[in-house]
Amino acid sequence: AVPGGLEEEGATIRRRQRKNTCLAILATLDTLEVHRLLLRQFHEATAATDRLTAFSLILESSAPERPKILETFMAESAKSPVAWESFLATVAASDCDDLIPILERIESSPAFSIEQAGEQRALYGRFALNRKRSLETEEGRAYLAGVLRRLAPINEYSTARALDAFAF
């Protein structure tokens, strides 16, 4: 094998996947020590996947830094269309108890544009498919109904894709 070849890159990706899986398991403990691990990975990650994984786990934690991380990462992500869509999708897929207020905060941000198809898919489509929050909670169903009403006149395709949440 050539040094730095595909085999080596594949092994690196698999190690990161295992590390992130272990971090997700540890995050269920929601302790200060685990918060420190999550924050360290968030701040020191060299791969976007590692940073998004840490962000997602911080969002679902009780870490005191959580609100500041959310605001800072939102502002930082808004500077790049790719990072912004990844941020939106990560938040929308979250299993945090205050997800709806967070989504409403994002929608009110000047960085969010409901007219952008990529942002629709990332925020609304991903939330709709987050059935545990979108369909299995009264608050989620009410939010999703509002999203569908706002989205339908703007983009029928994105609206139909969000309706896929009801397919199963």
Side-chain angles (χ1 to χ4, degrees):
V2 177
L6 289 177
E7 295 86 7
E8 189 175 315
E9 183 65 26
T12 300
I13 290 169
R14 286 188 299 280
R15 278 192 302 276
R16 281 198 357 261
Q17 288 173 330
R18 285 192 297 272
K19 176 190 63 158
N20 286 330
T21 298
C22 291
L23 196 59
I25 292 167
L26 286 172
T28 62
L29 298 173
D30 201 25
T31 64
L32 289 175
E33 185 177 352
V34 172
H35 296 167
R36 282 193 290 272
L37 289 171
L38 297 174
L39 290 167
R40 185 170 60 222
Q41 176 159 313
F42 178 77
H43 290 298
E44 296 175 7
T46 57
T49 304
D50 292 349
R51 190 157 197 232
L52 284 167
T53 296
F55 171 69
S56 174
L57 296 171
I58 290 166
L59 199 57
E60 295 176 1
S61 78
S62 65
E65 301 87 352
R66 181 180 176 268
K68 183 173 177 18
I69 294 283
L70 174 64
E71 288 300 317
T72 303
F73 196 44
M74 182 167 71
E76 180 184 310
S77 298
K79 295 175 185 174
S80 159
V82 173
W84 183 238
E85 285 186 29
S86 295
F87 169 83
L88 295 175
T90 299
V91 172
S94 177
D95 189 24
C96 56
D97 291 334
D98 59 343
L99 181 58
I100 303 304
I102 291 171
L103 296 176
E104 291 169 340
R105 163 68 183 95
I106 290 169
E107 285 179 307
S108 71
S109 163
F112 182 75
S113 176
I114 194 171
E115 291 82 17
Q116 294 296 317
E119 294 180 31
Q120 296 164 7
R121 283 189 304 271
L123 192 68
Y124 300 137
R126 189 66 183 251
F127 173 74
L129 295 174
N130 181 358
R131 291 178 186 90
K132 183 175 181 183
R133 293 292 170 176
S134 67
L135 297 181
E136 295 180 18
T137 67
E138 189 169 326
E139 184 182 29
R141 288 188 299 273
Y143 178 77
L144 183 57
V147 163
L148 294 172
R149 281 193 291 276
R150 288 191 310 276
L151 195 54
I154 296 169
N155 189 324
E156 292 175 8
Y157 181 76
S158 290
T159 305
R161 295 291 295 159
L163 289 170
D164 284 346
F166 296 97
F168 303 103

